[in-house]
Amino acid sequence: MSYELIAIGASWGGLHAMSALLDGLAPEVDPPLVLAQHRRVDSQRGALAELLQKHVERPVREPDDKEPIEPAHVYVAPADYHLLVENGFFSLSTDARVQFARPSIDVLFESVAAAYAERAIGIVLTGANEDGARGLAAIKAAGGATVVQDPASAERRFMPEAALALAGGADAILPVEEIPGFLYELCVGARR
Amino acid sequence: MALPVGRPEEESGLEQIEVDLLLEGIYRRYGFDFREYAPASLRRRLRRRMDGERVETLSALQSLVLHDPQVMERLLLDLSINVTAMFRDPTFFLAFRRQVVPLLRTYPFSRIWVAGCSTGEEVYSLAILLAEERLSERTRIYATDINEAVIDVARLGVFPLEKMQEYTHNYIRAGGTRAFSKYYVARYDGAQFARSLVDSVVFAQHNLASDAAFNEFNVITCRNVMIYFDRPLQDHVHRLFYESLATFGILALGQKESIGQSPHEGAFEELAAEERLYRKVR
Ligand SMILES: C[S@@+](CC[C@H](N)C(=O)[O-])C[C@H]1O[C@@H](n2cnc3c(N)ncnc32)[C@H](O)[C@@H]1O
């Protein structure tokens, strides 16, 4: 099995968790990482991508509508847009908020489940709401791999717990520092 | 005899068949054409209507939609995304003021096409900007949308009062120099914008997917419309705009839309890349 896309959802505490994840990421792990991070609608354009870029070599960017998805990139959903994937490219929308969120993690994950199915990995990180739970369940049902940040180690445990409850567990439940190693096993280990 | 049916991993292929049939049915029964809309968001909206109608499959939704026009009306609301705001993305209007206005001044007369104008907030914003730059007499705005209902709202120019604070803030960030409140009067049903702003605006129904070019323009703005289209339809619309733009005409796209999607990318140069303002140079 080879994985072609890693989808990540984060809310409260996400900048910190995502930074830690990128810090530990080996360059050989080359599927694109696609992040939906809740934040204020008036967040400065590109600011989150800039902050995350400090933690990783590969380019971090907010994709445009219909932009091709490339390996070894980190993509961040722009503030106030939903980010969806089609097979091989992004699609943005300003449809209504889902559970008060835009970008919504569920919207991203459900599109990932539909387009990438068993070629996807879904990761739910820290947060104080239930977004991502339905999406993670969809990725799991489509045959993808699932990872949830260990609630005990998360800055806010509610979101990882909700994901675990709805998806009925995950392939791995790990402190964020150990997620890069698990991704290495999934994406590179299998190739050896 | 056992029929050869798809394996579970082909379920998504099955969903695509159902989507295609439903959209084809809607088109043939009601004439609304969603066949070239971006599939991922479209699927979400269809699923929302399935939940609303309490049906489990798209085929069941299809049956309801074809037999019951009221279901079609509800679906239409789910499928029409009209969200807009005055001076949406203020930095865009600031760039327009600083970089497009000087170009417009060099023409004795210019035409601006606001394609996909929705309920008109963008049109009134531009009209205010042009009035402040003393260009009103020398420009004509053509504002079009596929949806008659939103154009009617646009013609009235009454917008929700509770939005005025947000719009005032946007206006200032967009480089506005007056008191925003002088452009409207507060009425019981909303903020009525000055009729004089849109005296010379032509409002008309126009479908970007199927209607032809209708004039030559110095500026075309089409913001947050094409993100709802799939790539072939985007290509089609880009061609329409290319053909409708005068040489050295300006194309303005939404904050997350790129000229990179246009088959005519090579004919444009960046005027303000961050603000998605491009200039046709050949
Ligand atoms: C999200 S609104 C954008 C409004 C405004 N331009 C803005 O940026 O705030 C999208 C508009 O595109 C219109 N639209 C959708 N398909 C269209 C088509 N095929 N031709 C013309 N307008 C279309 C919709 O009716 C809707 O009013």
Side-chain angles (χ1 to χ4, degrees), chain B:
Chain B
M1 191 187 80
L3 293 173
V5 291
R7 297 185 304 278
E9 58 268 37
E10 285 166 5
E11 285 273 310
S12 65
L14 176 59
E15 189 180 36
Q16 194 52 50
I17 295 173
E18 290 188 281
V19 171
D20 292 347
L21 291 173
L22 171 61
L23 299 183
E24 186 66 29
I26 291 173
Y27 177 60
R28 289 180 48 187
R29 172 96 164 84
Y30 298 102
F32 300 116
D33 194 355
F34 294 102
R35 294 174 300 177
E36 294 184 289
Y37 275 50
S41 316
L42 187 72
R43 269 199 304 272
R44 274 204 76 81
R45 297 184 207 120
L46 293 176
R47 235 177 282 133
R48 189 158 66 215
R49 186 71 345 242
M50 281 165 58
D51 292 347
E53 305 296 330
R54 298 169 196 278
V55 292
E56 294 289 328
T57 64
L58 282 162
S59 313
L61 182 65
Q62 174 184 322
S63 172
L64 283 180
V65 163
L66 292 184
H67 293 284
D68 183 349
Q70 291 190 342
V71 178
M72 182 64 228
E73 263 177 43
R74 292 197 286 271
L75 179 59
L76 206 52
L77 286 180
D78 290 327
L79 294 179
S80 321
I81 311 299
N82 301 312
V83 276
T84 184
M86 289 189 79
F87 296 98
R88 180 182 196 171
D89 305 315
T91 52
F92 165 82
F93 285 90
L94 189 61
F96 193 100
R97 215 183 259 271
R98 291 190 177 153
Q99 276 159 288
V100 179
V101 161
L103 299 174
L104 294 182
R105 285 199 202 292
T106 66
Y107 301 122
F109 188 80
S110 34
R111 282 185 289 269
I112 301 180
W113 180 10
V114 181
C117 66
S118 189
T119 40
E121 283 83 338
E122 189 180 21
V123 177
Y124 285 78
S125 309
L126 269 181
I128 288 172
L129 191 158
L130 293 171
E132 292 183 357
E133 299 294 336
R134 299 176 188 285
L135 281 170
S136 305
E137 264 82 78
R138 291 205 269 148
T139 46
R140 167 152 290 173
I141 298 177
Y142 295 74
T144 65
D145 201 282
I146 189 175
N147 182 340
E148 286 279 5
V150 292
I151 299 173
D152 288 342
V153 177
R155 280 200 188 94
L156 284 177
V158 179
F159 303 123
L161 267 177
E162 64 271 18
K163 293 276 186 187
M164 290 306 124
Q165 197 180 352
E166 176 194 335
Y167 292 173
T168 305
H169 185 63
N170 286 354
Y171 166 78
I172 294 166
R173 287 179 56 208
T177 52
R178 318 254 172 101
F180 185 63
S181 56
K182 90 176 187 61
Y183 292 110
Y184 63 88
V185 286
R187 297 192 336 194
Y188 69 98
D189 59 343
Q192 167 75 65
F193 278 73
R195 303 251 25 111
S196 58
L197 286 171
V198 291
D199 266 350
S200 67
V201 175
V202 178
F203 288 101
Q205 200 262 355
H206 180 277
N207 183 347
L208 292 167
S210 53
D211 292 335
F214 60 95
N215 214 326
E216 189 183 70
F217 295 95
N218 305 96
V219 178
I220 297 178
T221 106
C222 184
R223 302 169 68 227
N224 310 301
V225 179
M226 280 188 278
I227 57 173
Y228 299 102
F229 299 167
D230 71 7
R231 288 200 285 190
L233 183 52
Q234 286 192 350
D235 284 358
H236 170 84
V237 176
H238 270 297
R239 212 168 308 125
L240 178 67
F241 289 162
Y242 177 76
E243 286 163 6
S244 303
L245 267 178
T247 311
F248 301 121
I250 305 295
L251 179 63
L253 302 174
Q255 213 52 247
K256 285 287 150 197
E257 298 167 315
S258 158
I259 193 75
Q261 304 319 325
S262 166
H264 297 285
E265 179 182 5
F268 287 88
E269 70 183 26
E270 293 174 345
L271 188 66
E274 270 285 281
E275 302 304 335
R276 310 300 157 124
L277 280 165
Y278 306 93
R279 190 171 197 203
K280 175 176 167 181
V281 290
R282 60 182 75 85

Side-chain angles (χ1 to χ4, degrees), chain A residues 37-57:
Chain A
Q37 161 76 57
H38 294 166
R39 57 198 187 282
R40 293 171 49 127
V41 297
D42 57 352
S43 300
Q44 207 193 335
R45 208 183 295 162
L48 178 60
E50 255 170 57
L51 287 173
L52 293 175
Q53 186 69 76
K54 300 200 173 91
H55 295 269
V56 75
E57 285 285 326

